[in-house]
Amino acid sequence: MIGIVGGLSPEATAYYYRLFIEKSRERFPKYFYPEILIYSLNFKEFVEGNSEERRNLLFKALKKLDEAGVKVGGIASNTPHLFFEEMKRAVGFELVSIVEAVAEKAGKGKFLLLGTKKTMESDFYQRAFEKYGGEVVIPEERDREVVHRVIMEELVLGKFEKSKLIEVIRKYESFVDGVILGCTELPLAISQKDLNVEVFDSAKIHVEKMLDVYADKFINRK
């Protein structure tokens, strides 16, 4: 089965589940949906924990999925990919990176990255994009603060007002080839119809990649 570490936040996790249904209907026979196990963390514990406590919560969730027999999995959030290589080595199933999936999908070009402050200010997106000939641009500090605040004070609580996010993007879209929605709540507020450049929905791309891996392992070989 496919395993998901969710709860980061619950809004994004619900979006993931809807995407699995939608994408399964597109690619599999009628009524066929892969078995999915979601381990939903307590978001309050995660947000209020220090780096080590957050890491421990992620490893606990991944261990539960491993023990349950998951064969393909992912974390329904971008920021935890700070620990991705360590987590990947710690599990017996194929852990699919959301960051790697987005970088592969985007390819060459210059892309504006939106996400939490930790995601925007860390280098894991930059390193992944370099492998595929892409370049990541992050907003200026004041705009990073705006994006982070909208995510943590609005989107994770189910308030999907997009105007502040659009205002930030408008400052940069004329000199980038696309916008990376590098937080899995952002697609709940912003879609392709809102912008003049290509939008890369990290959650959708992640789900598609996990289903690709699942199909290669268990469907195409039959």
Side-chain angles (χ1 to χ4, degrees), residues 1-2 7 18 27 55-56 75 81 95 97 99 110 118 130 143 146 166 178 191 200 205 211:
M1 68 187 119
I2 296 174
R18 292 196 299 272
R27 67 186 301 165
R55 176 189 173 279
N56 290 340
I75 302 165
H81 282 65
L95 188 62
S97 166
V99 177
K110 184 180 291 187
K118 185 68 73 173
E130 285 173 1
D143 294 328
V146 170
I166 298 296
S191 65
F200 293 87
I205 294 168
L211 288 175

Side-chain angles (χ1 to χ4, degrees), residues 8-175:
L8 307 170
S9 69
E11 293 291 345
T13 307
Y15 180 50
Y16 261 72
Y17 187 65
R18 292 196 299 272
L19 285 170
F20 271 111
I21 294 170
E22 173 189 324
K23 297 302 175 182
S24 293
R25 286 174 177 164
E26 289 177 3
R27 67 186 301 165
F28 298 129
K30 186 178 181 180
Y31 302 137
F32 183 93
Y33 303 95
E35 292 181 38
I36 299 174
L37 181 62
I38 299 174
Y39 188 98
S40 188
L41 291 168
N42 183 330
F43 192 47
K44 185 174 188 293
E45 285 185 19
F46 189 82
V47 169
E48 295 180 355
N50 60 35
S51 180
E52 185 64 19
E53 289 167 336
R54 293 181 181 188
R55 176 189 173 279
N56 290 340
L57 286 169
L58 291 167
F59 273 81
K60 173 187 173 183
L62 289 166
K63 183 179 179 181
K64 292 290 186 182
L65 295 179
D66 215 355
E67 291 172 349
V70 162
K71 299 301 181 187
V72 178
I75 302 165
S77 179
N78 285 266
T79 306
H81 282 65
L82 285 163
F83 310 108
F84 183 80
E85 292 304 322
E86 187 181 0
M87 293 187 292
K88 186 175 182 179
R89 292 192 296 268
V91 297
F93 58 88
E94 184 161 355
L95 188 62
V96 178
S97 166
I98 189 172
V99 177
E100 188 79 16
V102 174
E104 181 182 15
K105 179 80 170 181
K108 296 180 180 180
K110 184 180 291 187
F111 305 93
L112 177 68
L113 172 63
L114 301 184
T116 63
K117 282 191 69 178
K118 185 68 73 173
T119 293
M120 291 185 285
E121 295 174 358
S122 299
D123 69 347
F124 54 83
Y125 255 105
Q126 284 85 342
R127 286 186 283 109
F129 267 70
E130 285 173 1
K131 290 167 56 178
Y132 297 94
E135 178 184 350
V136 170
V137 175
I138 63 170
E140 295 177 358
E141 184 175 0
R142 182 183 300 176
D143 294 328
R144 295 199 298 272
E145 293 283 354
V146 170
V147 174
H148 183 83
R149 189 164 56 250
V150 169
I151 292 169
M152 298 305 299
E153 296 180 10
E154 297 181 23
L155 301 187
V156 301
L157 300 174
K159 302 172 184 177
F160 304 134
E161 170 56 47
K162 68 180 75 176
S163 59
K164 296 173 188 174
L165 297 169
I166 298 296
E167 185 177 335
V168 169
I169 295 169
R170 292 284 185 239
K171 298 179 183 180
Y172 305 90
E173 66 177 354
S174 63
F175 58 87

